[in-house]
Amino acid sequence: IWNERQAREKQARSPKCEESGLVGIWQVMLSLGVTPKLSIEDALKMAFHRKKDDTSPLPQYLVSCSDYGMSHHDIIRAMDTLSSGRIAGRFFEFYPQRRVDIRY
């Protein structure tokens, strides 16, 4: 899709693993020519991104680790929000194996 120079210019970098869902959303938006309405830093503060609770006692910290990041519902909602409704998404379960028509 892009040559090497364009890929370097368009790539989004993620300093933390927990940001990978949002970085993926940024990559999709940039590849489709849609400018996100917020920065990654601002998007990380929104409700669709859950963080680890680094300051809590160990039991609560471990629970927060299992819930941090973004679910498939969060990714679809974030894509819709950050693109102002210009990009829609759907997820399909592929187990058990099934035939899925991905044409819209």
Side-chain angles (χ1 to χ4, degrees):
I1 297 174
W2 301 325
N3 64 36
E4 187 175 341
R5 181 187 56 77
Q6 291 169 318
R8 271 196 306 271
E9 290 171 358
K10 293 177 185 284
Q11 74 179 347
R13 297 186 187 264
S14 174
K16 298 178 185 172
C17 181
E18 64 191 38
E19 298 173 1
S20 60
L22 284 174
V23 170
I25 291 170
W26 251 251
Q27 298 290 58
V28 169
M29 292 177 74
L30 292 174
S31 68
L32 295 174
V34 176
T35 303
K37 70 178 193 177
L38 296 173
S39 68
I40 289 180
E41 293 76 20
D42 290 335
L44 285 168
K45 298 173 188 169
M46 296 185 77
F48 46 68
H49 183 267
R50 293 174 303 282
K51 294 185 178 188
K52 292 180 187 177
D53 186 0
D54 294 335
T55 61
S56 66
L58 183 59
Q60 287 88 350
Y61 170 74
L62 293 175
V63 169
S64 74
C65 287
S66 69
D67 193 41
Y68 90 102
M70 299 177 77
S71 70
H72 62 289
H73 296 289
D74 297 326
I75 290 172
I76 290 172
R77 190 168 44 128
M79 183 72 73
D80 181 61
T81 300
L82 297 172
S83 70
S84 299
R86 293 180 61 199
I87 301 174
R90 297 186 298 174
F91 276 85
F92 302 96
E93 296 180 26
F94 285 101
Y95 186 83
Q97 190 169 354
R98 63 192 71 193
R99 296 178 68 127
V100 176
D101 184 359
I102 61 172
R103 293 175 289 174
Y104 189 69

